[in-house]
Amino acid sequence: MAAITGRLFNIQRDSTEDGPGIRTTVFLKGCVMHCPWCHNPEGIRSNPELVWYKARCIGAGDCMKVCPQHALKLTADGMLVDRTLCDACGKCVEACPATALEVLGRLYTVDEVVGTVVRDRLFYEKSGGGMTVSGGEASVQAAFCLALMQAVSKEGIHVAIETCAGSSWETLRPLVESANLILLDLKQMDEVKHREYTGVTLERVLANARRVAESGREIWVRTPIIPGYTDSESNVRSVARFILEHLPTTTRYDLLAFNNLASAKYDRIGQSWQLSGESMITANTMDTLSEVARSEGVENVHWSGLTKP
Ligand code: SF4
Ligand code: SF4
């Protein structure tokens, strides 16, 4: 039988933001949502994508000569990639003498990823860490995700999955049951706004969240604090109330401060980002929102991320 493969856009070792301890975070391509604030835009589409690093480009032009699709054009404004023509074949990547091009989203076997994850076993043991599967939305590649989680668990390594809970429960259930910890994103608690921002109903997300708790798995809830989208006190209060009423296995609530550092990622995949000029949140706002959650009775509330003074 052919080995199951998954399309990844990154494997990040030494991660300290995706669960307890030191972790290796595996980023799978493809998402069921399209949040305007997404910090991993290269993870939203399922297909591989060509990225161009402006700072590395020396203008040699070798890429354009080898492209069979004639999809590249180096202009004064930078490299234009005609993405209706580019099939991510990678020929330009090989031809570039300055490593200014990369195809994100190569296929990996489970064994390949496990081989990387186990390298840091000692760090996991010393720090209480492990592997986190993220994305995109990990459940979009459910068969690969499940096989990877089971293989890493067999190695005796702690396994977490980060999910926006926007897939069907049928898809999510086996992944939840194979994880030690679920990092559950609850972004916006207004049904109309949630559907408008993410493309998925809040009803589905909350139903899945309840089922995750019913499975008995430990949950860390996470809310990205995005100016104008999710940063109101009433939104954080609603998340806090939902945690208290429906997610008794929650052991931690994280508020994640928006920053605009993802602008460069949008540039690299040839997309403009409506939040690129948005200013950062203040530490005061993050303190206040954390206090709102605590005042509702949620324990172990943390906030993280870059803030402006
Ligand atoms: S990845 Fe292939 S098709 Fe796309 S620009 Fe490069 S050479 Fe052309
Ligand atoms: S759910 Fe996460 S990965 Fe998907 S679009 Fe939203 S922020 Fe991005």
Side-chain angles (χ1 to χ4, degrees):
M1 197 174 75
I4 301 176
T5 55
R7 210 172 275 291
L8 275 58
F9 64 93
N10 195 10
I11 301 178
Q12 189 180 335
R13 294 167 72 188
D14 299 326
S15 165
T16 53
E17 293 173 2
D18 301 309
I22 296 171
R23 312 190 70 80
T24 295
T25 305
V26 178
F27 293 91
L28 303 188
K29 240 178 162 314
C31 192
V32 291
M33 293 188 179
H34 52 66
C35 312
W37 54 81
C38 185
H39 269 212
N40 287 326
E42 72 278 43
I44 294 181
R45 294 197 200 108
S46 293
N47 55 312
E49 288 171 273
L50 183 68
V51 295
W52 174 69
Y53 298 92
K54 184 178 183 180
R56 294 186 202 162
C57 183
I58 55 174
D62 298 0
C63 52
M64 291 181 280
K65 289 177 208 147
V66 300
C67 176
Q69 306 293 339
H70 307 290
L72 296 173
K73 194 170 174 193
L74 190 55
T75 71
D77 293 329
M79 181 69 74
L80 297 182
V81 182
D82 186 335
R83 291 178 192 275
T84 61
L85 297 175
C86 175
D87 60 6
C89 71
K91 290 196 167 71
C92 57
V93 177
E94 286 165 28
C96 176
T99 63
L101 292 157
E102 183 183 5
V103 173
L104 289 181
R106 127 164 138 73
L107 288 174
Y108 286 73
T109 63
V110 170
D111 286 350
E112 265 183 288
V113 182
V114 173
T116 301
V117 170
V118 296
R119 275 192 235 160
D120 291 337
R121 184 192 294 277
L122 272 181
F123 294 107
Y124 311 147
E125 285 170 4
K126 287 215 176 312
S127 68
M131 175 188 77
T132 299
V133 194
S134 182
E137 164 57 32
S139 60
V140 167
Q141 299 187 61
F144 175 81
C145 186
L146 181 62
L148 175 63
M149 292 169 78
Q150 290 175 338
V152 171
S153 280
K154 252 190 208 160
E155 294 287 336
I157 293 171
H158 182 273
V159 171
I161 181 169
E162 184 190 2
T163 180
C164 66
S167 299
S168 70
W169 179 243
E170 197 183 21
T171 303
L172 272 179
R173 188 182 56 76
L175 306 178
V176 166
E177 289 174 353
S178 301
N180 303 105
L181 170 68
I182 317 299
L183 306 178
L184 179 70
D185 298 347
L186 294 180
K187 305 164 193 289
Q188 168 53 254
M189 296 299 278
D190 178 274
E191 174 67 63
V192 174
K193 289 180 184 168
H194 190 281
R195 208 172 41 237
E196 179 194 335
Y197 299 159
T198 72
V200 173
T201 63
L202 178 64
E203 190 186 0
R204 165 176 275 205
V205 170
L206 298 187
N208 282 335
R210 285 191 201 94
R211 289 178 182 128
V212 172
E214 283 161 17
S215 78
R217 295 298 182 284
E218 182 183 358
I219 299 173
W220 287 15
V221 174
R222 307 182 0 145
T223 300
I225 301 300
I226 314 297
Y229 290 90
T230 64
D231 62 339
S232 69
E233 291 189 20
S234 62
N235 188 45
V236 171
R237 197 178 300 284
S238 297
V239 176
R241 288 181 180 170
F242 185 81
I243 292 171
L244 285 170
E245 284 171 29
H246 301 287
L247 307 179
T249 59
T250 301
T251 58
R252 176 172 166 137
Y253 180 33
D254 282 296
L255 303 177
L256 312 173
F258 167 84
N259 67 61
N260 58 20
L261 297 180
S263 295
K265 293 185 177 185
Y266 282 86
D267 287 346
R268 280 181 217 138
I269 58 170
Q271 283 182 18
S272 58
W273 187 30
Q274 64 196 79
L275 293 176
S276 62
E278 190 59 65
S279 59
M280 292 198 291
I281 308 253
T282 64
N284 265 350
T285 301
M286 296 305 291
D287 283 338
T288 303
L289 293 175
S290 303
E291 220 26 70
V292 166
R294 287 187 198 107
S295 71
E296 289 296 321
V298 177
E299 294 173 359
N300 207 12
V301 180
H302 298 257
W303 70 261
S304 59
L306 298 173
T307 50
K308 68 179 173 191

